[in-house]
Structures are given as structure tokens and as C-alpha cells.
Amino acid sequence: MPQAPDPVRLRDRLRVDGMLPAAFPRAMPVTLEVQREQLRSGRSTLGANALVSRSVGDMSFSKLLHVSSGGGQRTVDGALQVATNVGELRLRGQVNYNIAPGARLSAVALSSDSTLAANYLLGISATRDFATGEARLHASLNKSLGSYALAVSVGVGKHGEALAGIQLFSSFGREPRKSQWIFDAQPMTGSGAVSARVFVDRNGNGVMDAGELPVADAGFMVNGAQFGARTGADGIAYLDHLPAFRDVNLSVSTATLEDPQLSTLRRGVRLVPRQGNVSQIDFPLALTGEIDGTVYMRTGGQQRGIGNVLLELVSRTDGAERVAAQVRSSADGYFMVQDVLPGSYQLRIAAQQLEELRLADPGARSIRVSETGTQVNGQNFMLAPR
């Protein structure tokens, strides 16, 4: 491949994403990007983009402004894009224009697409380039077949010339744990991916050791929304098309776990996917236990169940005390602490509760929840006035 006569030696890029101040009536995302390139000859170019978006009802507007300078010349141009939905029909329009040197329209484009039955996508577009005088009408029909897509397109040019073509689309990535190739009709190069493994961590070390079982059919949450991928029999799922260079919050969807006693030891992960990179993340699960009992009050030689008593489940790590769970007793004094992870605990009446009601401390109960999930019953407390 021939090299450019003055190739780029150094490129710096700065990008800022945010929202315009709250004084605006609606949320308006804004992106500012500045890029500087230094060429081998010593010349440098500077470019800046500003993108502002806004939604009004069913319509969305995007305004792009681009400024570039280099070699003693400066150009300013921009684009305005409008998009909306009319039933199943998606409509888009775009106007490109130059501001300097010379203010003029440079191009106009209109397009629409609609999803038909059986994964067919019909698209129609019309473009006009004012600089060259070229005009074109184009129609295409795409069919997604899972691992690849087929497109048939026809077009008509300004002078009546006809265009026709057939295209086959496919992209592929590699699952690193299984050395398996993944094929998809959607492009993968502009996004990141995660190889997620879910398993029952018997010893609580966060590592899948020999003999520990994978969890099949576990789902995931990505940025608070349910993701389509599920784990296979080996506990592994391939999560692709994740936005590159943006924060992604990933966690196991507990609603998809068949065993209600399973709970996540790793609540979630925040990562920044990179283009063409597959991150390997493990999600250890544990079999949890339950603790129940009743809180009684003894007065005048009689005892009865008492409600709204605050109980604390406390663990100790390196001498530091941590409240793992809190629960209040029901009207008859019964309580249950659910989803207790394996470990050693102390169950007690909260100190502030004893002080407020001026009750004697009945002491704490030592409890051990094993890695197989323990049901600890009959942890009763008898309260009495001081």
C-alpha cells in the first residue's frame, strides 16, 4: 500500500461528554472533541467537533459543527439531522452545509426504513450533492440470517444510469475461554465484548476451582437493562456489541437464577470496553442461608411476641465489625433474615432499640452459615424491662 507523502507522526485527541446546564427546559447531551495531528514534515492540523442532541416528542435533532485548520487555511462546516418514527416507519433527514470559506448548502439526504416480517429490512434513500451536482435514488432489501445478512440494492443516478448489487455481511469475534469463533450479521469492530462466567463458589475465594459447578441459563444486566445473552451449560456467555470507550455496568440478573438460594458474591462490575477486545470476567455465586426466630417480651410473669423490634446480623473481618443485614420482627414477634452469605455471624437486638425501650440486653446468638446453605431456625430472644 503506498504511503501518504506526509504521513501523521503524532495524533492527540480530547473528548468530553456531558449535559447542558439545568437552565435548559430539556436534557440536551453535548459532545466536544478536539484532535491535533502533527505530520512528519512538521506541519500540524487542528480539528474540533461539537455535537448537540435534543428530543422533542417523537422527533430527535442532532446538530454537528466542525472546525479545522492547517496549512494556513480554515474551514467551518456543519450538519443538521432530524429523525422520527411514524408507526413502523423510521424517517431521517440530513442537511450538510459550509460556513467558511463561503456559506452554502453542500448536500441533502432523505431516508426511510421499515422492518418487515421474517427479519426483512426495507430501506429507501435519496441524496443530492450540490458540489458535484450528483443525485441518486437508492432502495435496498436486507435479510438478517443470524450469523450473516444478505442485501439486494438498486439505484438510479441523475442521468438515468441504473445500479444494482448484492452484498453479504458478516462479522466475527473469538470467545477466548473456549477458543470458539462467533459470527454475527452486525459489525463487531466498533464495539467491545465480555466473556462472562457464572459459577457456584463453594469456598468463597472468587476463583472457579476444580469441582465447582457452572451455572447455566444465567442472564445479565447491562447499564440497568436486561441483556439478551445467557450462559450455556459451561456457565459462559459471550456479551457483544458493548459500547466502546464508555462506562458499562455489568451484573448477573438474579431474576434469571433458577435456584432462589443462589446470591451473587460480586454485585457488579464497571468496565470500559475497547474495540476488538474481549474482557474475561467471573461472577461467583454462593448458596445462601436463612435465619428465623421470634422476639418475646416478658412482663408481669407472662410472655408474648412483640413486633417492630430491630435485629442486626453482624460479621467481623480483621477485627472490624460490619452489619451484614437488618430486619424487624412482625406483629407476632416472628422474624426471618434471608439471603445470608456463608460465614460466621452474631445475631443481636440493635443497641439503640434496647436503649429506646429501656430493655435489658438478652445477649447475641452465634451463627454459622455453611457453604451449602444453612437453615438456622429457632433463634429466639426474650426481652424484659431493666
Side-chain angles (χ1 to χ4, degrees):
M1 178 181 294
Q3 294 186 354
D6 196 1
V8 175
R9 188 178 66 87
L10 182 65
R11 177 181 290 126
D12 298 319
R13 180 180 296 171
L14 174 65
R15 174 172 171 156
V16 178
D17 297 293
M19 305 287 288
L20 289 179
F24 289 83
R26 292 177 180 269
M28 296 180 65
V30 60
T31 297
L32 301 176
E33 185 173 1
V34 179
Q35 178 174 292
R36 183 177 68 90
E37 291 184 346
Q38 186 174 353
L39 308 181
R40 178 178 292 176
S41 64
R43 291 193 312 112
S44 63
T45 62
L46 182 65
N49 293 322
L51 175 65
V52 179
S53 304
R54 181 173 180 178
S55 296
V56 179
D58 294 332
M59 301 184 69
S60 62
F61 299 84
S62 296
K63 179 70 176 295
L64 173 68
L65 185 66
H66 174 252
V67 180
S68 63
S69 64
Q73 296 183 343
R74 186 183 68 173
T75 60
V76 182
D77 56 72
L80 174 64
Q81 186 178 77
V82 182
T84 187
N85 291 343
V86 180
E88 296 296 326
L89 188 66
R90 291 176 290 276
L91 300 174
R92 293 181 301 276
Q94 181 167 318
V95 177
N96 294 61
Y97 52 88
N98 294 333
I99 300 176
R104 64 185 184 276
L105 287 177
S106 58
V108 175
L110 297 173
S111 64
S112 67
D113 59 73
S114 179
T115 301
L116 307 179
N119 293 328
Y120 283 97
L121 179 67
L122 175 64
I124 301 175
S125 65
T127 60
R128 175 66 187 273
D129 189 326
F130 294 101
T132 62
E134 182 180 356
R136 179 173 295 180
L137 180 64
H138 183 265
S140 64
L141 183 64
N142 292 17
K143 167 67 173 178
S144 177
L145 300 171
S147 59
Y148 65 94
L150 184 67
V152 178
S153 61
V154 294
V156 179
K158 176 183 177 182
H159 303 291
E161 66 272 20
L163 306 172
I166 298 177
Q167 293 176 297
L168 182 67
F169 302 94
S170 186
S171 62
F172 58 91
R174 190 168 182 269
E175 215 305 323
R177 298 185 200 265
K178 300 185 289 185
S179 298
Q180 177 183 357
W181 291 101
I182 308 294
F183 293 86
D184 198 316
Q186 300 299 321
M188 294 184 181
T189 55
S191 59
V194 168
S195 171
R197 181 169 59 183
V198 184
F199 63 96
V200 180
D201 189 7
R202 293 285 186 179
N203 55 14
N205 65 352
V207 178
M208 188 173 183
D209 299 312
E212 293 182 334
L213 300 178
V215 177
D217 204 33
F220 300 88
M221 303 292 290
V222 176
N223 290 338
Q226 190 79 37
F227 199 78
R230 295 288 187 101
T231 58
D234 53 7
I236 298 174
Y238 188 77
L239 286 64
D240 54 3
H241 302 299
L242 300 178
F245 306 114
R246 296 186 182 181
D247 286 343
V248 171
N249 296 315
L250 175 63
S251 61
V252 173
S253 174
T254 54
T256 63
L257 302 178
E258 294 184 359
D259 190 341
Q261 279 192 274
L262 284 175
S263 181
T264 55
L265 291 174
R266 195 174 192 179
R267 296 298 181 185
V269 176
R270 173 172 290 180
L271 71 152
V272 179
R274 291 183 292 130
Q275 294 176 343
N277 183 69
V278 182
S279 302
Q280 300 184 45
I281 302 177
D282 283 351
F283 290 94
L285 306 183
L287 286 168
T288 60
E290 295 180 348
I291 305 169
D292 69 9
T294 304
V295 181
Y296 297 97
M297 172 71 79
R298 175 174 292 169
T299 55
Q302 296 182 344
Q303 68 180 40
R304 60 181 178 84
I306 181 172
N308 204 35
V309 175
L310 180 64
L311 298 99
E312 296 176 336
L313 188 66
V314 181
S315 64
R316 287 184 177 274
T317 303
D318 298 329
E321 187 176 275
R322 183 181 71 88
V323 177
Q326 289 183 322
V327 66
R328 287 188 179 272
S329 61
S330 58
D332 60 357
Y334 179 77
F335 67 87
M336 176 179 287
V337 186
Q338 297 177 308
D339 299 328
V340 183
L341 294 173
S344 298
Y345 300 92
Q346 293 284 315
L347 181 64
R348 68 190 184 191
I349 306 295
Q352 67 268 28
Q353 186 88 93
L354 298 173
E355 184 63 29
E356 290 172 1
L357 302 179
R358 300 187 62 81
L359 300 173
D361 188 354
R365 310 287 186 268
S366 295
I367 294 172
R368 169 70 184 173
V369 176
S370 71
E371 287 75 14
T372 58
T374 307
Q375 299 280 343
V376 182
N377 307 114
Q379 299 302 301
N380 302 329
F381 290 86
M382 183 68 67
L383 303 179
R386 292 179 186 173

